[in-house]
Amino acid sequence: MVVPAMLFIFVFSYLPMYGVLMAFQDYQLFGGFFHSPWVGFKHFEAFFNSPDFWNVMRNTIVISLLKLCIGFPAPILLALMLNEVRLMLFKRIIQTVSYLPHFLSWVIVGGFVGSMLSTDNGSVNMLLMGLHLTSEPISFLSVPEYFWGILVGTGIWKEMGFAAIVYLAAIAGIDPHLYEAASIDGAGRFKQIQLITLPCIRPVIIIFLILAVGNILNAGFEDILILATNPILRDVSDVIDTYVYRMGILNNRFSYAAAAGLFKAVVSIGLLALANKAARKMGSSLW
Amino acid sequence: MMKLSAGDKVLQVMIYAVLLLLGFITLYPFWNSLVISFNVGSDTALGGITFWPRSPTLDNYEVVFRDSRIGHAFLISILRTIVGTTLSVLFTAILAYGLSRHELMGRKVYMVFCIITMYFSGGLIPTFLLLRGFGMMDTFWVLVIPGMISVYNMIIFRTFFLGLPAGLVESARIDGCNHIGVLTRIILPISGPVVATLSLFTAVYHWNDWFSASIYINDTRLIPIQTLLKQILNSNIVTDQLQKAIGSSAAAQDRLALVQSVTSKSLIMATTMVATLPIIMVYPFLQKYFVKGVLIGSLKE
């Protein structure tokens, strides 16, 4: 029973890995992997020397760091706040609402963002103009300065509630006696969060942090393809993944794109190992 | 119930306020889009549409449903979700069952073989070329087959199967049941929550995925709704064509009214709502499952 599935995994997961070799070839459409000439590191050099390289690297790193620094703590904060809510009905409603965006496709989220931010009476512009913060509608999705904020904010809007589930479960597993004891000792709720809740869910936080660091070069793909449709944004929106897509699939530069993709994979694995090492020093690790 | 100090009360009030604001920000884009989709497009363009439609209409939906491409894409999405989810969950369960059996020789090797694929992959370009090489471009199956086995789901299934009492399978085997029978008649029926959760996640993936169709499919008859929506969002030309196509098929007097009242924005919002609807409809029923599912998934870490 296992053999057909294994063959299947071999074909759809391992055969493409072999295809990584084409980063070292001048891949010819009709020759395939076997008849294309080997060119060594030519495509890697071309990628490192290309004028796009530093731009793409900067965007990849900045966008990931922003997502890590703002997007990572957001669900923890949400879980902490939800945990303080005493009205169960209120808590349940807010939770139900907060999960919902996770189940929507990026296309739909993109439609919402476009509608909210549109200059053509989008709600955000109506609000800003109503408050007299701006006199002209702002075309948010075509101003490079706003793009990172919109990208990170939309990502948090979409995933915060869903990511909070695990933290809520971890908080629910904390022994209630700890809180009672702290409260008798005179600790207020804020102190209790600081001294009991946070230390108790620390292992969970660290595991998710390691996973997030391992993903650091995955700055985004679908979200950027959807939100950055305006070519004006390319200077701030192009990350390695979207660059690979554009070069490979749209411009047919297969070998060049595969080289850029391979570079990313190697760096990611290195970062994951580093993050794990750091975490082991803090007392927990992935493997 | 512990007594609250003054400081705690301030904290409580602040938390309720922040959570209310978050809830509002999360829901508002849905609500506003829904309202716009039910408002006369030319009226929406005047501005000020926030919580309620000012001049309610069903025209936008009429245009959307009259467009045969949208209806067709909707059907493709439904077909893909049903076929893709069934195949994926079934085959993933078969693999997990096999790997959970102690009599299987070399199951450690098989496990490692599977797990490696979670961390290394050939990447977008080689996968694209491979599938093209197989001649799977522009077929329905390219949307379903490559993702059929999910190693992540397999591990969740396997962990669950390993926790079932061993005697269950043994007695069925002694009664002459073969492995397929054991799996489909005994194991899967008692794995309800896991099957439900993993089916839900797989179905949501298939319903929402727009990217694979956008690179593997050119044939307009095979485009799922999300991919079509993406195309519509990206160009106003498409919506213009859509309006014209509607215009020529409707009766002459309706035609003018429709084309005048429906704008590309109202049309986009109506299409977005059509693509969102199935998820919103099943969402309340599935909530209790996916919370459980996330926790099963994270146990493995």
Side-chain angles (χ1 to χ4, degrees):
Chain A
M1 277 167 85
V2 171
V3 172
M6 286 296 148
L7 271 175
F8 189 90
I9 290 181
F10 178 75
V11 168
F12 288 104
S13 295
Y14 281 85
L15 282 187
M17 286 188 209
Y18 179 69
V20 161
L21 292 179
M22 73 193 221
F24 303 97
Q25 295 180 325
D26 264 335
Y27 184 80
Q28 316 272 306
L29 259 188
F30 297 102
F33 300 122
F34 298 103
H35 302 285
S36 298
W38 294 94
V39 293
F41 286 94
K42 175 178 141 189
H43 295 292
F44 290 89
E45 278 166 30
F47 175 52
F48 296 143
N49 292 327
S50 105
D52 302 322
F53 178 75
W54 287 111
N55 208 18
V56 167
M57 281 312 286
R58 182 201 65 181
N59 293 337
T60 309
I61 291 168
V62 171
I63 291 175
S64 322
L65 282 180
L66 282 174
K67 281 187 177 173
L68 191 68
C69 296
I70 306 171
F72 184 77
I76 302 175
L77 216 62
L78 177 66
L80 289 177
M81 287 196 292
L82 279 171
N83 189 49
E84 294 302 312
V85 171
R86 306 289 174 90
L87 290 172
M88 277 306 139
L89 184 68
F90 181 81
K91 182 175 171 180
R92 207 170 307 144
I93 291 173
I94 295 289
Q95 265 191 279
T96 306
V97 167
S98 72
Y99 306 144
L100 185 54
H102 170 80
F103 290 91
L104 303 180
S105 78
W106 267 109
V107 178
I108 288 169
V109 174
F112 287 161
V113 173
S115 160
M116 289 289 110
L117 298 181
S118 108
T119 47
D120 170 22
N121 293 302
S123 292
V124 173
N125 272 314
M126 286 200 290
L127 180 71
L128 290 179
M129 285 166 71
L131 296 173
H132 298 290
L133 292 173
T134 166
S135 51
E136 295 260 297
I138 301 170
S139 171
F140 287 99
L141 282 170
S142 42
V143 181
E145 282 79 11
Y146 295 141
F147 180 71
W148 289 341
I150 294 170
L151 185 74
V152 174
T154 313
I156 292 176
W157 181 83
K158 191 173 185 304
E159 300 299 338
M160 179 166 71
F162 200 70
I165 293 178
V166 179
Y167 298 114
L168 275 171
I171 292 174
I174 297 172
D175 185 354
H177 291 120
L178 289 175
Y179 290 109
E180 261 168 55
S183 148
I184 290 164
D185 289 344
R189 290 304 300 174
F190 197 73
K191 273 269 177 229
Q192 291 177 28
I193 292 174
Q194 214 182 341
L195 297 175
I196 300 174
T197 315
L198 277 177
C200 284
I201 62 171
R202 205 179 93 129
V204 182
I205 295 179
I206 291 179
I207 285 175
F208 279 84
L209 192 60
I210 298 172
L211 292 174
V213 172
N215 264 329
I216 198 134
L217 291 195
N218 290 333
F221 182 63
E222 274 193 68
D223 48 353
I224 294 177
L225 283 188
I226 297 265
L227 292 176
T229 44
N230 192 333
I232 296 176
L233 296 176
R234 189 157 291 160
D235 280 345
V236 290
S237 71
D238 227 359
V239 297
I240 298 181
D241 283 326
T242 54
Y243 187 69
V244 167
Y245 168 70
R246 219 177 62 238
M247 288 298 143
I249 306 278
L250 302 183
N251 297 350
N252 286 331
R253 295 176 64 187
F254 296 124
S255 287
Y256 181 75
L262 185 58
F263 166 74
K264 191 198 102 163
V266 171
V267 177
S268 297
I269 291 165
L271 282 173
L272 186 65
L274 264 178
N276 193 51
K277 209 171 215 176
R280 192 171 285 171
K281 282 213 176 107
M282 289 190 279
S284 64
S285 91
L286 261 188
W287 57 79
Chain B
M1 181 70 79
M2 285 168 267
K3 259 195 77 175
L4 292 177
S5 72
D8 289 347
K9 277 184 190 146
V10 175
L11 189 68
Q12 284 270 308
V13 171
M14 273 168 56
I15 285 173
Y16 278 88
V18 172
L19 286 178
L20 266 180
L21 184 69
L22 278 178
F24 174 75
I25 293 174
T26 313
L27 273 188
Y28 181 74
F30 283 91
W31 185 252
N32 187 245
S33 305
L34 190 69
V35 168
I36 291 176
S37 75
F38 280 111
N39 201 49
V40 172
S42 48
D43 176 63
T44 306
L46 300 175
I49 302 297
T50 47
F51 297 103
W52 304 107
R54 192 163 47 208
S55 40
T57 178
L58 291 173
D59 283 359
N60 303 318
Y61 286 94
E62 198 182 333
V63 173
V64 167
F65 287 119
R66 278 219 193 137
D67 182 42
S68 59
R69 284 183 313 162
I70 293 180
H72 192 78
F74 198 78
L75 287 181
I76 291 285
S77 275
I78 289 179
L79 192 66
R80 172 186 178 179
T81 304
I82 293 172
V83 174
T85 307
T86 314
L87 285 180
S88 170
V89 171
L90 185 67
F91 281 82
T92 303
I94 292 177
L95 176 64
Y97 173 74
L99 289 176
S100 74
R101 303 301 306 148
H102 294 288
E103 67 262 28
L104 178 74
M105 304 259 280
R107 44 196 192 109
K108 282 240 167 74
V109 180
Y110 290 132
M111 272 307 275
V112 172
F113 184 81
C114 292
I115 289 171
I116 287 175
T117 64
M118 293 174 74
Y119 294 95
F120 299 91
S121 76
L124 180 67
I125 308 295
T127 309
F128 173 79
L129 291 173
L130 180 83
L131 294 179
R132 196 166 72 172
F134 285 163
M136 288 176 77
M137 299 279 283
D138 271 329
T139 61
F140 175 73
W141 299 107
V142 78
L143 301 177
V144 171
I145 302 259
M148 215 164 75
I149 300 236
S150 154
V151 174
Y152 186 81
N153 290 352
M154 183 276 282
I155 291 173
I156 296 175
F157 262 134
R158 180 174 170 272
T159 312
F160 186 82
F161 293 164
L162 285 173
L164 296 174
L168 209 62
V169 175
E170 298 320 320
S171 54
R173 296 285 293 156
I174 290 164
D175 290 346
C177 203
N178 62 19
H179 279 300
I180 291 288
V182 172
L183 181 67
T184 54
R185 307 228 307 258
I186 296 171
I187 305 271
L188 284 183
I190 60 171
S191 310
V194 188
V195 174
T197 307
L198 296 183
S199 303
L200 165 66
F201 288 149
T202 315
V204 168
Y205 162 76
H206 276 298
W207 182 264
N208 281 342
D209 176 50
W210 58 277
F211 184 70
S212 48
S214 83
I215 59 173
Y216 298 129
I217 300 223
N218 292 314
D219 187 342
T220 46
R221 287 167 309 162
L222 286 172
I223 296 273
I225 183 88
Q226 306 279 354
T227 314
L228 182 66
L229 180 60
K230 162 85 168 112
Q231 290 170 356
I232 294 177
L233 283 172
N234 270 15
S235 72
N236 291 321
I237 302 157
V238 180
T239 46
D240 285 347
Q241 278 172 346
L242 206 141
Q243 279 173 312
K244 284 201 188 94
I246 301 310
S248 59
S249 67
Q253 66 269 34
D254 303 344
R255 193 195 305 172
L256 202 64
L258 267 186
V259 172
Q260 279 178 349
S261 70
V262 174
T263 62
S264 69
K265 181 166 178 174
S266 64
L267 208 56
I268 283 173
M269 285 302 121
T271 318
T272 306
M273 284 299 138
V274 169
T276 319
L277 208 64
I279 298 252
I280 303 274
M281 274 174 9
V282 293
Y283 180 75
F285 303 102
L286 298 171
Q287 221 205 119
K288 61 173 187 216
Y289 287 116
F290 71 72
V291 173
K292 203 180 282 172
V294 174
L295 298 181
I296 298 172
S298 61
L299 280 185
K300 155 191 107 57
E301 318 284 10

